[in-house]
Amino acid sequence: MIFAIEEINNSTELLPGIKLGYQIYDSCASVPMAVRLAFQLSNGQDPVFYKGSNCSQSAVIAVVGDSGSTPSISISRIIGTFNIPQVSHFATCACLSDKKQFPSFFRTIPSDQFQADALAKMVKHFGWTWIGAVCSNSDYGNYGMASFLDAAQREGICVEYSEAFYRTDPRTKIQRVADVIRRFLHQKFCCFLYYCGATQKNV
């Protein structure tokens, strides 16, 4: 990001007469931290109040990030109130395409809706008409799973079960999900579809 901004500022063609400034924060992939930073950006941290034509010097013009969908959702709900544009390079949750909820959110990566549609078509291509589905219990996983289930229904695919868990869940919950999968795998003509994070695996 620093390199890109310096290239823009040093160019006489890209934004002539304009210099971009920046501040970089680490959300640590944490929603509470992302919310705190969003409020800091919205409130402004400069104690000087600018008057006249230079008032924009104290304003945040745009936010780049977050890389995760859940932090991006939290940030967008705050800064979107102030019409501050947010551009993410890696938040793919299909829910962020809803302009009623996230009017100032943009991204440079496709929505998960495309992935869900492609996944359903792949399942149909291989003739897997009866499957089980597991996802990460997060905004990314749950919204991604919802998109996939809709796409699977349109393709005539029967989803036997849909389970969600998170890596910090207690062992008992993870064991319950494992038991559901085990029972399903003991049945005939089965496929296990895993939709967790950015990985899809077929077993």
Side-chain angles (χ1 to χ4, degrees):
M1 178 175 163
I2 294 173
F3 174 79
I5 290 175
E6 288 178 348
E7 288 293 298
I8 293 171
N9 286 341
N10 292 332
S11 172
T12 57
E13 298 179 355
L14 293 177
L15 293 175
I18 297 176
K19 293 292 183 183
L20 298 178
Y22 60 88
Q23 288 182 315
I24 298 178
Y25 300 90
D26 188 356
S27 68
C28 302
S30 164
V31 171
M33 181 66 73
V35 169
R36 177 184 174 188
L37 296 176
F39 275 119
Q40 286 182 352
L41 291 170
S42 301
N43 292 336
Q45 302 180 66
D46 196 330
V48 178
F49 181 78
Y50 293 93
K51 296 182 179 180
S53 60
N54 293 326
C55 64
S56 63
Q57 293 178 3
S58 62
V60 175
I61 296 174
V63 173
V64 177
D66 194 280
S67 59
S69 291
T70 299
S72 290
I73 290 170
S74 301
I75 293 170
S76 186
R77 290 198 188 281
I78 295 169
I79 66 173
T81 306
F82 304 99
N83 294 318
I84 299 173
Q86 175 186 359
V87 182
S88 174
H89 56 287
F90 212 60
T92 57
C93 181
C95 60
L96 286 164
S97 297
D98 186 345
K99 287 303 177 185
K100 290 183 178 179
Q101 292 192 63
F102 310 103
S104 62
F105 179 84
F106 307 92
R107 52 184 159 203
T108 58
I109 186 171
S111 160
D112 278 337
Q113 187 61 56
F114 295 98
Q115 183 178 183
D117 292 341
L119 201 54
K121 289 183 183 301
M122 183 186 74
V123 170
K124 185 176 182 179
H125 171 78
F126 286 105
W128 302 333
T129 56
W130 187 53
I131 64 172
V134 179
C135 71
S136 169
N137 193 12
S138 62
D139 287 321
Y140 177 86
N142 290 324
Y143 279 107
M145 182 59 70
S147 296
F148 170 73
L149 293 177
D150 287 342
Q153 185 177 22
R154 291 194 302 271
E155 296 291 344
I157 299 167
C158 176
V159 179
E160 173 69 15
Y161 68 84
S162 175
E163 295 288 337
F165 73 94
Y166 199 67
R167 62 178 179 270
T168 56
D169 282 344
R171 184 181 179 86
T172 53
K173 182 173 182 180
I174 296 176
Q175 183 64 51
R176 185 189 65 77
V177 174
D179 289 341
V180 171
I181 297 169
R182 189 177 293 110
R183 286 195 302 270
F184 179 63
L185 289 176
H186 284 165
Q187 300 179 51
K188 193 177 181 181
F189 301 123
C190 61
C191 158
F192 172 50
L193 190 75
Y194 186 66
Y195 194 117
C196 182
T199 305
Q200 291 77 42
K201 298 180 180 177
N202 301 311
V203 178

